[in-house]
Amino acid sequence: MTRNVRALAKVFFGRLFENDMFSSSTAASASVVWLLALVATPGVMFSGSQIFSWAHLRAMGIRLDDPLVVDRALLQSQAFHLDFVMAVAGIVTMIVWSSLTPDRRDALVLGPLPITAREQSLGRLLALLKFFGMFIVAVSVPTAVAYNFVSVGAESVTQFPGRVLGHIVAAVLAGGSVFFLLLNIQLVLAAVFVGAQVAGAIGG
C-alpha cells in the first residue's frame, strides 16, 4: 500500500462525515461516538430482557425432550437480530450517501495532482471498509456476546465461543450485503447520469 493510498484513505474517511448531519469535524467525532453507542444498545438491551424467556424455553425443551423447541426460537431470534443489522447498515449508508462517490471538488483538487485513478479508488475503498467495519463491529459484537450469554444454557457453555463467532460472521455478511448493494446502486446511478463527465474530470 503506497503512501498516497494511505493519505487518500484518511482524507476520504473524513469526507464521509461532511454532510448535513455533521456540521464540523469536531461535531462528527462526537456524533459518531454517540451513533456507535446507539446502534450497539438495542441488541444488547433486547437480549438482556429475554434472559428469563430463554431459561424457560431451555427448561421446556428438556422437559419435553424436544431440542427443536429451543432451535426454533433460536432461528427466529437470530433472524430478528440479522434484520436489525441490515436495517442499521441501510440507515448508516444513507447518512453518508452523498459522500460515497467522487464529486466536483474531488476532480478540482485531485485532478492536477500526480495521483492515479487507481490510487484514488483504493483510497476510497479503504475508507469505506474502515467506515463499514466501525459500524458492523458496534452493531454485532456486543449483541453477539449478550445474546449468546442469555440463550446458551449451562449444558452448552462450550459452544459459546463458536456461537458468538457465528453470530458475528452472519451479521457481517448481512450488513455487508446491504451496505455494498446500496453502494453499487449509487455507482450505477452515477455511471448512468454523470459517469462520462466525472470520469473524464477525475482522470485529468
Side-chain angles (χ1 to χ4, degrees), residues 149-178:
F149 179 80
V150 301
S151 63
V152 173
E155 68 280 0
S156 305
V157 69
T158 56
Q159 301 176 11
F160 180 78
R163 291 193 179 188
V164 170
L165 180 60
H167 184 104
I168 294 173
V169 171
V172 171
L173 294 176
S177 65
V178 173

Side-chain angles (χ1 to χ4, degrees), residues 17-33:
F17 303 100
E18 294 181 4
N19 50 50
D20 295 336
M21 182 175 179
F22 307 115
S23 58
S24 66
S25 58
T26 303
S29 300
S31 299
V32 167
V33 172

Side-chain angles (χ1 to χ4, degrees), residues 84-156:
F84 178 74
V85 170
M86 295 172 73
V88 168
I91 293 172
V92 167
T93 306
M94 296 308 297
I95 290 175
V96 297
W97 178 266
S98 61
S99 305
L100 292 177
T101 52
D103 57 15
R104 184 179 298 275
R105 183 168 62 170
D106 290 329
L108 293 176
V109 174
L110 299 177
L113 298 178
I115 299 174
T116 65
R118 182 175 182 274
E119 288 177 327
Q120 294 184 43
S121 299
L122 287 175
R124 193 174 295 276
L125 177 61
L126 288 176
L128 289 173
L129 290 176
K130 180 180 178 181
F131 175 81
F132 171 73
M134 181 174 63
F135 278 94
I136 203 65
V137 167
V139 78
S140 64
V141 174
T143 299
V145 175
Y147 169 73
N148 287 285
F149 179 80
V150 301
S151 63
V152 173
E155 68 280 0
S156 305

